[in-house]
C-alpha cells in the first residue's frame, strides 16, 4: 500500500517554516508561532486519503477505507518537539511497523510530562495504528482517551482555536474507526462534527478534508447521489483556493475518492490537477505518488497502455523505492493480463530481488503476496507438482507460476508470514498464510491447504479482517471438496458467503479493486456453493432452499456491485407465493453444467440440470442472440432456441401443466439475461404462446411492488427527431398518440421533453404510468446507462433523483415503459443496466426492450399492450403476452426480432 509520503515532506516543510518564524520571534510572539504551526498540521491531517491498492491483481489485501493521514504534532516549545516520541511513532508507522508505532504512541500518551494536546494526539495516532492492526478494542479505548483529554482541557492549557483544531483531527480518527467497523452512519455524523470544528477554527481546507471523508461514508451507506453532489461541491471550493502544496494534497485526495466511487474521468481530472501543482513545486516523491494514483485510475478505466506508462514514470522518478517496487508489481500484472510473457519474464527477476531486499514491514509483506498472487492468477492449477524453473525458450509455453522454482515461491510467503509475526501484524500474517494455502492448492497438496487455510481463518478472525476471511473459508472449502469431505466443504463455503454478507456493502462501496474484479474474486464464492449444494441428483429440500437463497444473494451482490453501493432494499421473505398460477425458475450457469431451481406454488422446490461446460453454454446463448437478426435464416435460430428450451423448460413441462401454471417468472443469470425467454422454441410453438413471462432481478428485490393498482393514467414523453447523434424515431408520435386513445394521458414531444420538464411533471401529477419513448442504452457500466431527453442524457442517478419524491410519498410508479432502448452492443452484462434502471426508478413494473426494435412494429405492439391493460381481469404479464401474440400472428412482424425484445420486469400481476 502507498502510505502517505507527503506526511514526511509536509513535516519537513512545517519545521522549516516554524523555525524560520521562531528565529525572528520574540517571547511575546511565541504563542502565535504555536497557533500557526497547529493550523498547518491539522489542515493536512484533515484530508483523509482512501487507501489505494498497490496492485492490479484479483485479491486486494487492502480494505480501502478512509485513512486520515498522520502528521507530527506541533511543538509547544523546541525542546518538547525534538524529544517527543510522537515523531518516532510516525517513522515506525511510515515504514509499516504498526505494532511498534502503536506501542510508541501509547507510551507518549501515558507520559504526564507531555502537554495534554500532545497526549490527546498521541492517543489519536495510537487508535489509527490499532485500527490498521484490527485491534478494535484498543482503537476504541485510545480514541475515547483522546476525547476525554480534550474535554478536560482548561483555557490555560490551550486556546479555543488550538483546541478546535486538535479536536477536529481526533474526530477524523474517530470517524475512520466507525467506518472500518462497518458503521458508516456514525462515521458520517462524526465527520460532520469534525467539519464544524474546522469551521469554528476558520480553517476552510480542514473543512474540505472532513467533507471528503463524509463523501466516503455517504458512498458506503448507498447514498451515491449525495456523495457525488458533495464531492462536486468540494471540487468547486478547491478551485477557489490558491495553488499550493496543501491544495495539491486535497486534489489528490479528491481524485482517489472519485476513483473509489467509480467516477474515473473525474478521478483522472483531479489527479492531473494535483500532479500539475506538484510538478511546479518539484517534489519527486509527491509527483511519483500522484503518477502511481493516475496509473491505478487508468488501469480501472482499462487503459492499460496509459497505466503502464504511469507506472514506468514512477520507477524513473523514484528508483529503488518501495513505491517503485509497487509500480513494477502493477506493471508486471498488466503484462501478464496482456499475455506479454517475455516482457513479464524479464521484469520478474528484478522484482524478486527487490522484494526480498525490502526491510520487514507491512508493505514488504504485501508485495510478496501480490507477486505470488499475480503469478497464480495468470496460471491454471497444475495436474502435478509445479515444474522446475522454465528456460527463456520455454517461457511462452509455460505457466507464469512455473517461472520460479516452487521452493522460491513458497519461501517468499513463509518469510513474509514470519516477518509479520515478528512485527505482531496479524493481518499481514493472515494474508501471507492464506496465500500460501492458495499456492499449495495449485500443487494439489490438499492436506497442507486445509491446515494453512484454518490458520489463516483464525488469524483473520482474531484481527476482525472479514474482508479477507471469506477468501480463506472458500480456500478451505476447496480443500474439503477435493478430499471428499462434502459436508465440511458446504459448511466452509456457507461461512464464506456469510462473511461476504456481513462486509459486502463496505467492500463494494469503498474498494475499487473489488468492484473491478467482482467476477473473479466475489461472484465465484456464491456459484461454487450452489454447485456443491445441487451436486446430488436428489438434493434435499434444505439444500435446495439454501441454493435458492444463495442465488438471490448473488443477484443482490451483482446489483450492489453495479451501483457500487448497498443501495437496494431487499426483503427477508420470498414473495413468489402471491400468484397461485406462477412458477419461478432460477437458471444458473456453473462451470460444468446449467442448473435450474424451480419454485411452484404449494410444492417442494425442484431442480434439474444439463451437463456441459460454461464455455458451451455461453457460446450457444451468444449465437442465439446473434440469430435474432432477421437477416439470418430461421432454421439456425430455431435450432438454437430449441436447444436452450431443452435446458430450461423441457424437464419441467409436465409439472407445469399439472399445476396449471400460466405465468413463468425468470430470475436470470449470466448470459441468459441477454436473450428473450418468450422466443424459446419447443419445436412447434414459442414459449410465449403457452405462458405469460416476466423477469425479476430477484424475488427478494421486488420490494413493496404488490399493492392495489391505480386506474390507468399516463405521462408520456417522446423524441421523434434525430438528436445528439441518435437517429429520428418517427414512429414514436404514432405510438404515443395511439396509446392516448386508450388511456388518459399527457403527451410531450421533442423540444418540450427536457430533463427539467420531466422533473416538474413528475412532481405535479400523480400518475401511475410513466412512458418514455426515446433512445436509451443499458450497460454494465452505470455511467453508460441512460435515456435521451431533448437537452441531455438522463442517467440512472438522474432518474433516481427525479422519482425520489414519489417513492418517499409511497406513490411509486405503477408501470414505467421504455420503448426504444437497447442493451449495449458487445457488453455481455449490459442487462444489468436494464435491471438497475428498473430498480432505481422504484417502479412496480418496467416494460423495456432488449434491443432497439422496428419503429412501426413497436407502435403497434405498445398500442395493443395498453388496450389489453384496460381489461382489469388481466395481469400485466398476460396483457403483454396477448399483445406479443397478436404481433407474432401478423405476417409482416412474425419474426421474434419484432416482438420478443419486449420484457416485463417486476410485478407481473396487476
Amino acid at each position: 500500500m502507498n502510505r502517505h509520503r507527503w506526511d514526511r515532506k509536509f513535516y519537513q516543510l512545517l519545521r522549516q517554516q516554524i523555525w524560520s518564524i521562531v528565529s525572528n520571534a520574540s517571547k511575546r510572539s511565541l504563542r502565535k508561532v504555536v497557533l500557526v504551526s497547529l493550523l498547518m498540521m491539522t489542515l493536512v491531517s484533515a484530508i483523509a486519503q482512501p487507501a489505494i491498492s498497490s496492485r492490479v491483481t484479483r485479491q486486494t489485501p487492502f480494505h480501502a477505507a478512509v485513512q486520515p493521514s498522520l502528521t507530527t504534532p506541533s511543538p509547544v516549545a523546541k525542546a518538547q518537539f525534538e524529544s517527543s516520541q510522537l515523531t518516532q511513532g510516525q517513522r515506525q508507522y511510515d515504514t509499516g511497523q504498526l505494532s511498534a508505532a502503536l506501542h510508541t504512541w501509547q507510551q507518549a500518551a501515558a507520559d504526564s510530562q507531555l502537554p495534554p494536546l500532545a497526549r490527546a494526539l498521541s492517543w489519536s495516532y495510537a487508535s489509527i495504528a490499532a485500527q490498521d492492526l484490527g485491534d478494535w478494542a484498543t482503537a476504541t479505548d485510545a480514541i475515547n482517551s483522546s476525547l476525554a483529554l480534550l474535554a478536560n482541557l482548561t483555557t490555560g492549557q490551550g486556546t479555543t482555536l488550538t483546541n478546535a483544531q486538535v479536536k477536529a483531527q481526533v474526530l477524523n480518527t474517530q470517524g475512520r474507526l466507525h467506518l472500518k467497523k462497518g458503521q458508516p452512519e456514525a462515521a458520517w455524523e462524526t465527520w460532520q462534527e469534525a467539519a464544524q470544528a474546522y469551521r469554528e477554527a476558520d480553517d476552510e481546507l480542514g473543512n474540505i478534508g472532513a467533507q471528503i471523508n463524509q463523501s466516503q461514508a455517504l458512498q458506503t451507506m448507498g447514498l451515491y447521489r449525495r456523495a457525488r453532489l458533495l464531492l462536486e461541491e468540494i471540487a468547486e471550493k478547491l478551485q477557489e483556493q490558491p495553488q499550493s502544496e496543501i491544495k495539491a494534497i486535497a486534489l489528490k485526495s479528491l481524485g482517489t475518492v472519485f476513483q473509489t466511487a467509480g467516477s474515473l474521468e473525474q478521478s483522472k481530472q483531479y489527479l492531473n490537477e494535483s500532479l500539475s501543482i506538484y510538478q511546479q513545486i518539484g517534489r519527486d516523491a509527491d509527483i511519483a505518488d500522484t503518477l502511481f494514483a493516475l496509473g491505478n485510475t487508468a488501469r480501472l478505466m482499462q487503459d492499460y497502455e496509459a497505466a503502464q506508462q504511469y507506472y514506468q514514470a514512477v520507477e524513473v522518478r523514484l528508483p529503488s523505492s518501495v513505491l517503485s517496487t509497487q509500480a513494477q508489481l502493477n506493471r508486471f500484472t498488466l503484462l501478464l493480463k496482456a499475455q506479454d510473457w517475455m516482457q513479464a519474464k524479464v521484469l520478474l527477476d528484478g522484482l524478486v530481488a527487490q522484494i526480498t531486499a525490502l526491510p520487514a514491514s507491512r508493505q514488504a509483506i504485501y508485495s510478496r503476496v501480490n507477486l505470488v498472487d499475480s503469478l497464480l492468477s495468470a496460471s491454471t492449477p497444475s495436474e502435478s507438482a509445479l515444474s522446475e524453473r522454465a528456460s527463456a525458450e520455454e517461457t511462452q509455453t509455460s505457466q507464469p507460476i512455473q517461472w520460479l522454482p516452487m521452493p522460491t515461491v513458497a519461501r517468499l510467503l513463509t518469510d513474509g508470514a514470519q516477518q509479520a509475526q515478528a512485527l505482531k501484524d496479524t493481518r499481514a500474517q493472515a494474508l501471507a498464510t492464506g496465500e500460501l494455502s492458495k499456492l499449495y492448492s495449485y500443487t494439489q497438496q490438499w492436506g497442507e491447504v486445509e491446515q494453512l487455510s484454518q490458520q489463516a481463518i483464525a488469524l483473520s478472525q482474531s484481527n476482525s479482517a472479514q474482508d479477507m476471511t471469506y477468501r480463506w473459508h472458500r480456500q478451505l472449502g476447496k480443500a474439503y471438496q477435493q478430499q471428499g469431505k462434502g459436508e465440511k466443504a458446504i459448511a466452509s463455503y456457507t461461512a464464506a458467503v456469510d462473511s461476504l454478507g456481513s462486509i459486502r456493502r463496505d467492500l463494494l462501496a469503498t474498494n475499487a479493486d473489488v468492484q473491478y474484479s467482482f467476477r473473479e474474486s466475489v461472484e465465484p464464492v456464491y456459484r461454487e456453493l450452489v454447485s456443491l449444494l445441487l451436486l446430488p441428483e436428489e438434493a434435499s429440500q434444505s439444500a435446495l432452499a439454501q441454493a435458492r437463497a444463495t442465488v438471490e444473494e448473488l443477484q443482490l451482490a451483482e446489483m450492489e456491485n453495479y451501483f457500487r453501493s448497498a443501495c437496494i432494499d431487499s426483503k427477508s421473505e420470498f414473495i413468489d407465493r402471491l400468484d397461485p398460477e406462477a412458477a419461478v425458475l432460477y437458471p444458473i450457469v456453473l462451470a460444468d453444467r446449467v442448473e435450474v431451481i424451480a419454485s411452484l406454488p404449494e410444492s417442494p422446490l425442484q431442480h434439474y440440470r444439463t451437463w456441459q461446460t460454461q464455455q458451451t453454454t455461453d457460446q450457444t446463448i451468444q449465437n442465439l442472440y446473434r440469430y435474432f437478426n432477421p437477416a439470418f435464416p430461421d432454421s439456425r435460430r430455431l435450432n438454437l432456441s430449441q436447444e436452450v428450451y431443452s435446458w430450461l423448460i423441457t424437464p419441467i413441462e409436465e409439472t407445469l401443466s399439472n399445476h396449471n401454471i400460466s405465468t413463468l417468472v425468470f430470475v436470470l443469470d449470466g448470459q441468459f439475461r441477454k436473450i428473450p425467454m418468450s422466443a424459446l422454441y419447443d419445436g412447434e410453438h414459442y414459449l410465449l404462446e403457452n405462458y405469460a413471462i416476466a423477469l425479476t432481478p430477484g424475488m427478494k428485490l421486488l420490494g413493496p411492488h404488490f399493492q392495489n393498482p391505480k386506474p390507468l393514467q399516463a405521462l408520456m414523453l417522446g423524441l421523434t427527431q434525430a438528436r445528439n447523434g441518435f437517429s429520428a424515431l418517427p414512429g414514436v408520435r404514432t405510438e404515443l398518440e395511439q396509446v392516448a386513445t386508450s388511456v388518459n394521458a399527457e403527451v410531450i414531444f421533442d423540444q418540450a421533453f427536457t430533463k427539467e420538464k420531466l422533473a416538474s411533471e413528475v412532481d405535479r401529477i400523480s400518475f401511475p404510468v410513466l412512458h418514455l419513448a426515446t433512445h436509451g442504452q443499458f450497460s454494465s457500466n452505470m455511467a453508460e446507462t441512460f435515456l435521451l431527453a431533448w437537452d441531455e442524457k438522463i442517467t440512472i442517478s438522474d432518474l433516481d433523483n427525479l422519482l425520489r419524491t414519489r417513492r418517499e410519498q409511497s406513490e411509486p410508479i405503477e408501470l414505467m415503459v421504455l420503448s426504444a432502448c437497447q442493451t449495449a452492443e458487445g457488453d455481455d452484462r449490459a442487462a444489468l443496466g436494464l435491471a438497475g434502471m428498473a430498480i432505481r426508478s422504484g417502479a412496480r413494473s418496467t416494460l423495456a426492450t432488449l434491443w432497439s426494435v422496428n419503429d412501426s412494429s413497436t407502435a403497434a405492439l405498445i398500442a395493443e399492450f395498453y388496450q389489453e391493460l384496460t381489461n382489469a381481469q388481466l395481469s400485466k404479464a398476460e396483457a403483454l403476452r396477448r399483445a406479443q401474440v397478436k404481433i407474432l400472428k401478423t405476417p409482416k412482424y412474425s419474426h421474434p426480432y419484432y416482438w420478443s425484445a419486449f420484457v416485463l420486469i417486476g410485478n407481473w400481476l396487476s
Side-chain angles (χ1 to χ4, degrees):
M1 168 183 159
N2 178 19
R3 291 290 177 195
H4 309 302
R5 295 177 161 274
W6 55 267
D7 293 339
R8 297 190 292 277
K9 288 293 184 182
F10 181 76
Y11 162 60
Q12 295 166 3
L13 179 65
L14 178 61
R15 288 193 67 173
Q16 292 169 6
Q17 293 181 348
I18 289 173
W19 300 127
S20 173
I21 297 172
V22 168
S23 64
N24 298 300
S26 65
K27 290 184 179 179
R28 198 170 58 179
S29 65
L30 182 59
R31 184 167 174 272
K32 182 177 179 181
V33 172
V34 174
L35 295 181
V36 170
S37 64
L38 274 169
L39 275 170
M40 295 179 66
M41 178 273 293
T42 52
L43 175 136
V44 179
S45 67
I47 300 175
Q49 295 197 10
I52 307 172
S53 171
S54 64
R55 65 199 304 264
V56 176
T57 51
R58 295 179 175 86
Q59 304 292 354
T60 305
F62 303 105
H63 182 60
V66 173
Q67 302 223 10
S69 51
L70 297 169
T71 55
T72 302
S74 176
V76 177
K78 181 178 180 180
Q80 291 173 333
F81 184 90
E82 291 185 337
S83 64
S84 173
Q85 293 172 297
L86 299 175
T87 53
Q88 179 187 354
Q90 168 131 15
R91 285 192 295 270
Q92 291 166 332
Y93 185 92
D94 287 342
T95 56
Q97 301 174 64
L98 304 183
S99 184
L102 171 61
H103 180 67
T104 299
W105 281 326
Q106 285 174 323
Q107 285 184 321
D111 185 354
S112 60
Q113 299 301 310
L114 281 180
L117 281 177
R119 293 178 62 202
L121 287 169
S122 297
W123 279 124
S124 175
Y125 296 162
S127 178
I128 290 176
Q131 289 172 36
D132 287 355
L133 289 166
D135 187 345
W136 305 124
T138 299
T140 302
D141 288 344
I143 203 64
N144 288 340
S145 297
S146 181
L147 290 168
L149 273 171
L150 291 178
N152 292 328
L153 280 178
T154 65
T155 304
Q157 293 172 294
T159 69
T160 302
L161 179 64
T162 302
N163 291 348
Q165 288 283 336
V166 176
K167 180 181 179 181
Q169 177 172 345
V170 174
L171 287 170
N172 265 330
T173 301
Q174 186 182 37
R176 181 187 196 256
L177 175 60
H178 286 316
L179 192 65
K180 277 183 164 284
K181 291 173 68 176
Q183 302 165 347
E185 295 86 356
W188 176 65
E189 292 173 357
T190 302
W191 280 324
Q192 282 187 310
E193 292 183 51
Q196 179 60 35
Y198 281 116
R199 287 192 292 269
E200 291 173 1
D202 196 25
D203 184 348
E204 180 57 24
L205 276 177
N207 177 38
I208 287 174
Q211 288 181 318
I212 290 175
N213 289 347
Q214 290 174 41
S215 73
Q216 278 289 86
L218 290 169
Q219 174 78 12
T220 307
M221 285 189 283
L223 301 176
Y224 183 80
R225 175 178 167 275
R226 286 180 61 184
R228 177 179 290 276
L229 289 175
L230 180 57
L231 288 173
E232 290 171 352
E233 180 183 329
I234 293 167
E236 291 180 9
K237 289 180 181 178
L238 280 175
Q239 297 308 320
E240 299 170 0
Q241 299 292 328
Q243 302 290 80
S244 66
E245 183 175 8
I246 305 303
K247 181 177 179 179
I249 292 167
L251 285 168
K252 183 167 66 176
S253 182
L254 189 63
T256 55
V257 172
F258 270 118
Q259 181 191 80
T260 301
S263 302
L264 301 179
E265 287 293 345
Q266 286 159 299
S267 171
K268 181 180 177 181
Q269 173 190 339
Y270 296 119
L271 289 173
N272 273 319
E273 289 183 25
S274 176
L275 179 64
S276 177
I277 297 174
Y278 279 134
Q279 287 172 332
Q280 293 173 30
I281 297 172
R283 296 185 181 280
D284 283 342
D286 296 314
I287 291 170
D289 201 39
T290 312
L291 287 167
F292 185 83
L294 278 164
N296 288 341
T297 294
R299 180 254 304 177
L300 292 169
M301 296 175 76
Q302 299 185 28
D303 187 351
Y304 300 131
E305 182 177 352
Q308 289 270 13
Q309 292 172 357
Y310 283 125
Y311 294 139
Q312 285 179 309
V314 172
E315 297 165 36
V316 171
R317 182 73 61 170
L318 282 184
S320 304
S321 66
V322 174
L323 189 65
S324 174
T325 302
Q326 293 168 342
Q328 287 184 63
L329 269 170
N330 280 9
R331 194 157 61 85
F332 174 69
T333 306
L334 288 176
L335 289 170
L336 292 178
K337 185 179 182 66
Q339 297 187 355
D340 189 345
W341 307 124
M342 295 303 295
Q343 289 295 322
K345 180 64 173 62
V346 169
L347 187 58
L348 177 61
D349 290 336
L351 260 178
V352 173
Q354 285 186 47
I355 289 172
T356 53
L358 290 174
S361 68
R362 174 175 281 193
Q363 294 97 314
I365 297 162
Y366 281 6
S367 294
R368 292 169 179 266
V369 173
N370 293 344
L371 176 60
V372 175
D373 198 60
S374 295
L375 290 166
L376 292 175
S377 298
S379 306
T380 55
S382 174
E383 292 299 326
S384 57
L386 294 178
S387 303
E388 289 299 317
R389 186 170 185 161
S391 65
E393 294 76 16
E394 296 171 326
T395 297
Q396 292 192 19
T397 57
S398 65
Q399 298 185 51
I401 190 60
Q402 296 173 349
W403 297 349
L404 295 174
M406 175 62 173
T408 300
V409 181
R411 177 59 60 188
L412 281 170
L413 296 174
T414 53
D415 286 353
Q418 290 170 3
Q419 288 179 4
Q421 187 175 22
L423 292 169
K424 299 180 180 178
D425 190 339
T426 54
R427 180 179 176 86
Q429 187 181 356
L431 186 68
T433 304
E435 193 67 24
L436 188 59
S437 77
K438 183 177 178 180
L439 174 65
Y440 281 120
S441 72
Y442 275 65
T443 59
Q444 300 187 3
Q445 295 172 264
W446 298 113
E448 286 80 358
V449 174
E450 179 182 339
Q451 181 181 3
L452 289 165
S453 297
Q454 289 171 337
Q455 292 176 16
I457 290 168
L459 287 165
S460 298
Q461 290 175 336
S462 70
N463 187 255
S464 301
Q466 293 286 5
D467 57 315
M468 68 170 72
T469 303
Y470 80 92
R471 295 165 53 187
W472 315 139
H473 276 302
R474 179 193 178 196
Q475 195 68 31
L476 180 59
K478 287 183 179 179
Y480 283 140
Q481 181 185 8
Q482 292 295 328
Q483 296 176 88
K485 303 173 183 177
E487 290 186 5
K488 287 187 174 182
I490 289 174
S492 291
Y493 270 103
T494 300
V497 168
D498 289 344
S499 294
L500 266 176
S502 67
I503 51 91
R504 190 176 61 219
R505 177 172 77 168
D506 296 343
L507 202 60
L508 297 181
T510 61
N511 194 315
D513 273 323
V514 174
Q515 298 164 11
Y516 173 74
S517 65
F518 176 84
R519 295 180 73 171
E520 291 79 23
S521 62
V522 175
E523 185 178 316
V525 181
Y526 296 93
R527 295 192 185 280
E528 288 164 11
L529 174 56
V530 171
S531 180
L532 282 172
L533 289 166
L534 299 182
L535 192 57
E537 189 70 36
E538 297 293 335
S540 67
Q541 282 299 299
S542 61
L544 290 174
Q546 185 181 354
R548 180 176 71 160
T550 304
V551 172
E552 290 275 349
E553 283 296 305
L554 173 58
Q555 299 281 332
L556 178 60
E558 285 182 306
M559 293 314 303
E560 287 177 343
N561 186 59
Y562 179 76
F563 288 119
R564 291 187 172 90
S565 61
C567 51
I568 306 167
D569 292 327
S570 63
K571 299 296 178 181
S572 59
E573 297 293 332
F574 294 98
I575 56 175
D576 53 346
R577 296 183 177 87
L578 291 172
D579 186 353
E581 295 181 357
V584 184
L585 302 182
Y586 297 79
I588 184 165
V589 180
L590 301 176
D592 57 356
R593 64 198 190 275
V594 175
E595 286 276 5
V596 182
I597 301 173
S599 174
L600 281 74
E602 306 300 328
S603 299
L605 292 170
Q606 303 178 46
H607 85 111
Y608 44 94
R609 62 172 66 106
T610 301
W611 291 99
Q612 60 193 23
T613 65
Q614 181 176 348
Q615 182 179 4
T616 298
T617 301
D618 290 347
Q619 189 61 57
T620 301
I621 295 172
Q622 289 170 13
N623 290 340
L624 174 57
Y625 177 80
R626 187 163 53 247
Y627 279 102
F628 278 114
N629 187 327
F632 290 107
D634 286 346
S635 58
R636 183 60 176 152
R637 170 180 52 80
L638 292 172
N639 287 338
L640 289 168
S641 181
Q642 192 168 353
E643 182 176 359
V644 177
Y645 186 100
S646 72
W647 304 343
L648 306 188
I649 308 299
T650 300
I652 203 171
E653 262 185 320
E654 185 176 345
T655 303
L656 295 175
S657 176
N658 292 339
H659 282 74
N660 298 316
I661 296 298
S662 61
T663 302
L664 297 181
V665 182
F666 288 91
V667 181
L668 295 177
D669 175 53
Q671 296 292 315
F672 283 116
R673 297 186 181 111
K674 69 190 300 180
I675 59 172
M677 295 293 103
S678 58
L680 298 185
Y681 191 64
D682 67 1
E684 296 182 2
H685 301 97
Y686 292 110
L687 189 61
L688 169 80
E689 297 180 77
N690 296 319
Y691 300 97
I693 294 168
L695 307 179
T696 174
M699 293 301 300
K700 295 170 69 174
L701 294 179
L702 286 173
H705 286 202
F706 289 81
Q707 299 176 11
N708 295 328
K710 298 179 181 179
L712 282 181
Q713 182 182 6
L715 172 64
M716 299 184 167
L717 302 96
L719 288 185
T720 66
Q721 301 178 31
R723 197 69 182 158
N724 293 335
F726 290 88
S727 61
L729 294 169
V732 162
R733 184 172 294 275
T734 302
E735 173 186 331
L736 298 190
E737 288 177 347
Q738 286 181 348
V739 170
T741 64
S742 301
V743 301
N744 181 15
E746 178 177 345
V747 183
I748 298 171
F749 289 112
D750 296 327
Q751 290 93 334
F753 177 13
T754 64
K755 187 162 75 171
E756 183 179 355
K757 180 67 172 178
L758 174 59
S760 65
E761 292 300 293
V762 165
D763 288 338
R764 186 175 67 86
I765 306 172
S766 180
F767 54 85
V769 178
L770 175 62
H771 188 128
L772 302 172
T774 178
H775 285 291
Q777 176 176 278
F778 306 121
S779 168
S780 60
N781 182 347
M782 190 170 71
E784 295 175 5
T785 296
F786 62 87
L787 305 171
L788 187 66
W790 180 266
D791 55 339
E792 59 183 305
K793 293 177 180 177
I794 300 173
T795 65
I796 286 184
S797 296
D798 292 332
L799 191 66
D800 176 28
N801 184 37
L802 289 170
L803 300 178
R804 183 179 299 275
T805 303
R806 289 287 299 271
R807 296 196 303 275
E808 290 174 349
Q809 295 175 351
S810 298
E811 292 186 358
I813 304 298
E814 294 281 345
L815 173 66
M816 183 172 68
V817 180
L818 309 173
S819 63
C821 300
Q822 62 183 354
T823 51
E825 188 173 351
D827 185 345
D828 67 350
R829 295 200 140 192
L832 287 175
L834 172 55
M837 186 76 78
I839 289 172
R840 195 62 114 185
S841 72
R844 289 176 174 152
S845 307
T846 298
L847 177 64
T849 54
L850 294 175
W851 54 77
S852 188
V853 189
N854 176 276
D855 228 16
S856 57
S857 64
T858 297
L861 191 148
I862 291 294
E864 286 293 336
F865 172 63
Y866 276 99
Q867 186 63 46
E868 296 290 349
L869 276 183
T870 60
N871 185 344
Q873 304 302 313
L874 297 182
S875 67
K876 292 189 182 83
E878 179 61 19
L880 177 60
R881 188 191 77 82
R882 293 189 181 194
Q884 288 176 303
V885 168
K886 188 159 187 177
I887 300 302
L888 162 63
K889 294 186 180 301
T890 303
K892 184 178 179 181
Y893 301 130
S894 61
H895 194 284
Y897 165 80
Y898 296 102
W899 51 264
S900 68
F902 293 85
V903 293
L904 183 70
I905 302 173
N907 178 2
W908 63 88
L909 290 171
S910 54

